[in-house]
mmCIF file of all heavy atoms in Angstrom:
data_model
loop_
_atom_site.group_PDB
_atom_site.id
_atom_site.type_symbol
_atom_site.label_atom_id
_atom_site.label_comp_id
_atom_site.label_asym_id
_atom_site.label_seq_id
_atom_site.Cartn_x
_atom_site.Cartn_y
_atom_site.Cartn_z
ATOM 1 N N MET A 1 -73.227 35.071 -37.200
ATOM 2 C CA MET A 1 -72.701 36.371 -37.465
ATOM 3 C C MET A 1 -73.150 37.377 -36.388
ATOM 4 O O MET A 1 -72.416 38.254 -36.015
ATOM 5 C CB MET A 1 -73.182 36.831 -38.844
ATOM 6 C CG MET A 1 -72.457 36.190 -39.983
ATOM 7 S SD MET A 1 -70.659 36.600 -39.976
ATOM 8 C CE MET A 1 -70.746 38.321 -40.461
ATOM 9 N N GLN A 2 -74.430 37.175 -36.012
ATOM 10 C CA GLN A 2 -74.953 38.084 -35.002
ATOM 11 C C GLN A 2 -74.225 37.897 -33.665
ATOM 12 O O GLN A 2 -73.980 38.868 -32.965
ATOM 13 C CB GLN A 2 -76.447 37.808 -34.813
ATOM 14 C CG GLN A 2 -77.296 38.344 -35.931
ATOM 15 C CD GLN A 2 -78.792 38.135 -35.741
ATOM 16 O OE1 GLN A 2 -79.182 37.285 -34.887
ATOM 17 N NE2 GLN A 2 -79.629 38.792 -36.519
ATOM 18 N N ILE A 3 -73.919 36.680 -33.404
ATOM 19 C CA ILE A 3 -73.183 36.370 -32.118
ATOM 20 C C ILE A 3 -71.784 36.994 -32.177
ATOM 21 O O ILE A 3 -71.365 37.623 -31.222
ATOM 22 C CB ILE A 3 -73.118 34.844 -31.926
ATOM 23 C CG1 ILE A 3 -74.510 34.268 -31.742
ATOM 24 C CG2 ILE A 3 -72.221 34.539 -30.701
ATOM 25 C CD1 ILE A 3 -74.548 32.788 -31.699
ATOM 26 N N ILE A 4 -71.100 36.827 -33.331
ATOM 27 C CA ILE A 4 -69.798 37.407 -33.454
ATOM 28 C C ILE A 4 -69.842 38.875 -33.350
ATOM 29 O O ILE A 4 -69.029 39.537 -32.682
ATOM 30 C CB ILE A 4 -69.136 36.970 -34.765
ATOM 31 C CG1 ILE A 4 -68.905 35.428 -34.759
ATOM 32 C CG2 ILE A 4 -67.848 37.715 -35.046
ATOM 33 C CD1 ILE A 4 -68.511 34.867 -36.095
ATOM 34 N N SER A 5 -70.817 39.471 -34.067
ATOM 35 C CA SER A 5 -70.994 40.895 -34.021
ATOM 36 C C SER A 5 -71.286 41.343 -32.574
ATOM 37 O O SER A 5 -70.779 42.366 -32.112
ATOM 38 C CB SER A 5 -72.143 41.321 -34.959
ATOM 39 O OG SER A 5 -72.393 42.676 -34.814
ATOM 40 N N PHE A 6 -72.123 40.573 -31.878
ATOM 41 C CA PHE A 6 -72.480 40.878 -30.510
ATOM 42 C C PHE A 6 -71.244 40.847 -29.604
ATOM 43 O O PHE A 6 -71.000 41.762 -28.738
ATOM 44 C CB PHE A 6 -73.542 39.899 -30.012
ATOM 45 C CG PHE A 6 -73.848 40.042 -28.535
ATOM 46 C CD1 PHE A 6 -74.683 41.089 -28.104
ATOM 47 C CD2 PHE A 6 -73.328 39.176 -27.596
ATOM 48 C CE1 PHE A 6 -74.970 41.239 -26.764
ATOM 49 C CE2 PHE A 6 -73.625 39.326 -26.211
ATOM 50 C CZ PHE A 6 -74.469 40.382 -25.845
ATOM 51 N N LEU A 7 -70.397 39.810 -29.834
ATOM 52 C CA LEU A 7 -69.212 39.673 -28.985
ATOM 53 C C LEU A 7 -68.147 40.671 -29.244
ATOM 54 O O LEU A 7 -67.570 41.268 -28.342
ATOM 55 C CB LEU A 7 -68.661 38.268 -29.136
ATOM 56 C CG LEU A 7 -69.521 37.137 -28.539
ATOM 57 C CD1 LEU A 7 -68.913 35.792 -28.877
ATOM 58 C CD2 LEU A 7 -69.687 37.269 -27.021
ATOM 59 N N PHE A 8 -67.862 40.920 -30.532
ATOM 60 C CA PHE A 8 -66.709 41.684 -30.836
ATOM 61 C C PHE A 8 -67.002 43.173 -31.202
ATOM 62 O O PHE A 8 -66.086 43.931 -31.340
ATOM 63 C CB PHE A 8 -65.895 41.020 -32.012
ATOM 64 C CG PHE A 8 -65.244 39.750 -31.552
ATOM 65 C CD1 PHE A 8 -65.842 38.531 -31.774
ATOM 66 C CD2 PHE A 8 -64.022 39.818 -30.896
ATOM 67 C CE1 PHE A 8 -65.213 37.380 -31.384
ATOM 68 C CE2 PHE A 8 -63.410 38.646 -30.482
ATOM 69 C CZ PHE A 8 -64.036 37.394 -30.678
ATOM 70 N N ASP A 9 -68.190 43.488 -31.368
ATOM 71 C CA ASP A 9 -68.502 44.882 -31.637
ATOM 72 C C ASP A 9 -68.987 45.592 -30.327
ATOM 73 O O ASP A 9 -68.458 46.656 -29.994
ATOM 74 C CB ASP A 9 -69.596 45.051 -32.672
ATOM 75 C CG ASP A 9 -69.075 44.669 -34.058
ATOM 76 O OD1 ASP A 9 -67.798 44.630 -34.191
ATOM 77 O OD2 ASP A 9 -69.867 44.407 -34.989
ATOM 78 N N LYS A 10 -69.930 44.947 -29.704
ATOM 79 C CA LYS A 10 -70.529 45.596 -28.547
ATOM 80 C C LYS A 10 -69.790 45.276 -27.230
ATOM 81 O O LYS A 10 -69.752 46.091 -26.335
ATOM 82 C CB LYS A 10 -72.000 45.226 -28.412
ATOM 83 C CG LYS A 10 -72.823 45.684 -29.550
ATOM 84 C CD LYS A 10 -74.273 45.274 -29.394
ATOM 85 C CE LYS A 10 -75.081 45.852 -30.588
ATOM 86 N NZ LYS A 10 -76.525 45.390 -30.523
ATOM 87 N N HIS A 11 -69.261 44.067 -27.122
ATOM 88 C CA HIS A 11 -68.618 43.631 -25.891
ATOM 89 C C HIS A 11 -67.213 43.120 -26.163
ATOM 90 O O HIS A 11 -66.890 42.009 -25.747
ATOM 91 C CB HIS A 11 -69.482 42.583 -25.177
ATOM 92 C CG HIS A 11 -70.845 43.007 -24.910
ATOM 93 N ND1 HIS A 11 -71.202 43.868 -23.863
ATOM 94 C CD2 HIS A 11 -72.051 42.795 -25.575
ATOM 95 C CE1 HIS A 11 -72.462 44.111 -23.852
ATOM 96 N NE2 HIS A 11 -73.037 43.471 -24.876
ATOM 97 N N LEU A 12 -66.456 43.930 -26.829
ATOM 98 C CA LEU A 12 -65.129 43.430 -27.254
ATOM 99 C C LEU A 12 -64.210 43.209 -26.026
ATOM 100 O O LEU A 12 -63.554 42.122 -25.924
ATOM 101 C CB LEU A 12 -64.469 44.508 -28.139
ATOM 102 C CG LEU A 12 -63.061 44.180 -28.647
ATOM 103 C CD1 LEU A 12 -63.137 42.921 -29.546
ATOM 104 C CD2 LEU A 12 -62.496 45.342 -29.441
ATOM 105 N N GLU A 13 -64.249 44.166 -25.114
ATOM 106 C CA GLU A 13 -63.373 44.006 -23.925
ATOM 107 C C GLU A 13 -63.686 42.766 -23.128
ATOM 108 O O GLU A 13 -62.819 41.927 -22.834
ATOM 109 C CB GLU A 13 -63.549 45.207 -23.020
ATOM 110 C CG GLU A 13 -62.960 46.479 -23.512
ATOM 111 C CD GLU A 13 -63.254 47.657 -22.553
ATOM 112 O OE1 GLU A 13 -63.491 47.407 -21.371
ATOM 113 O OE2 GLU A 13 -63.166 48.797 -23.016
ATOM 114 N N LYS A 14 -65.017 42.579 -22.907
ATOM 115 C CA LYS A 14 -65.412 41.428 -22.113
ATOM 116 C C LYS A 14 -65.143 40.111 -22.858
ATOM 117 O O LYS A 14 -64.752 39.123 -22.263
ATOM 118 C CB LYS A 14 -66.890 41.554 -21.770
ATOM 119 C CG LYS A 14 -67.138 42.665 -20.767
ATOM 120 C CD LYS A 14 -68.594 42.882 -20.607
ATOM 121 C CE LYS A 14 -68.871 44.135 -19.692
ATOM 122 N NZ LYS A 14 -70.295 44.494 -19.641
ATOM 123 N N SER A 15 -65.317 40.136 -24.165
ATOM 124 C CA SER A 15 -65.119 38.967 -24.996
ATOM 125 C C SER A 15 -63.652 38.549 -24.964
ATOM 126 O O SER A 15 -63.306 37.372 -24.760
ATOM 127 C CB SER A 15 -65.566 39.151 -26.445
ATOM 128 O OG SER A 15 -66.950 39.531 -26.464
ATOM 129 N N VAL A 16 -62.783 39.584 -25.163
ATOM 130 C CA VAL A 16 -61.312 39.288 -25.134
ATOM 131 C C VAL A 16 -60.901 38.779 -23.814
ATOM 132 O O VAL A 16 -60.082 37.836 -23.675
ATOM 133 C CB VAL A 16 -60.554 40.545 -25.585
ATOM 134 C CG1 VAL A 16 -59.041 40.281 -25.437
ATOM 135 C CG2 VAL A 16 -60.846 40.861 -27.000
ATOM 136 N N LEU A 17 -61.416 39.460 -22.753
ATOM 137 C CA LEU A 17 -61.081 39.018 -21.374
ATOM 138 C C LEU A 17 -61.550 37.586 -21.154
ATOM 139 O O LEU A 17 -60.825 36.791 -20.563
ATOM 140 C CB LEU A 17 -61.696 39.981 -20.396
ATOM 141 C CG LEU A 17 -61.402 39.717 -18.912
ATOM 142 C CD1 LEU A 17 -59.890 39.860 -18.672
ATOM 143 C CD2 LEU A 17 -62.202 40.676 -17.993
ATOM 144 N N ALA A 18 -62.781 37.318 -21.576
ATOM 145 C CA ALA A 18 -63.306 35.984 -21.382
ATOM 146 C C ALA A 18 -62.503 34.947 -22.169
ATOM 147 O O ALA A 18 -62.217 33.834 -21.664
ATOM 148 C CB ALA A 18 -64.783 35.947 -21.827
ATOM 149 N N LEU A 19 -62.084 35.375 -23.350
ATOM 150 C CA LEU A 19 -61.259 34.444 -24.144
ATOM 151 C C LEU A 19 -59.921 34.175 -23.466
ATOM 152 O O LEU A 19 -59.463 33.024 -23.385
ATOM 153 C CB LEU A 19 -61.040 35.106 -25.531
ATOM 154 C CG LEU A 19 -60.388 34.221 -26.612
ATOM 155 C CD1 LEU A 19 -61.305 33.005 -26.910
ATOM 156 C CD2 LEU A 19 -60.107 34.998 -27.857
ATOM 157 N N VAL B 48 -58.568 46.189 -24.220
ATOM 158 C CA VAL B 48 -58.403 44.980 -25.076
ATOM 159 C C VAL B 48 -56.925 44.683 -25.286
ATOM 160 O O VAL B 48 -56.429 43.558 -25.098
ATOM 161 C CB VAL B 48 -59.083 45.214 -26.444
ATOM 162 C CG1 VAL B 48 -58.792 44.022 -27.332
ATOM 163 C CG2 VAL B 48 -60.572 45.340 -26.255
#
Side-chain angles (χ1 to χ4, degrees):
Chain A
M1 284 298 289
Q2 285 182 346
I3 296 173
I4 295 172
S5 175
F6 174 77
L7 289 176
F8 290 96
D9 288 345
K10 294 181 179 176
H11 303 282
L12 181 63
E13 289 178 20
K14 291 171 186 171
S15 300
V16 172
L17 183 62
L19 190 64
Chain B
V48 174

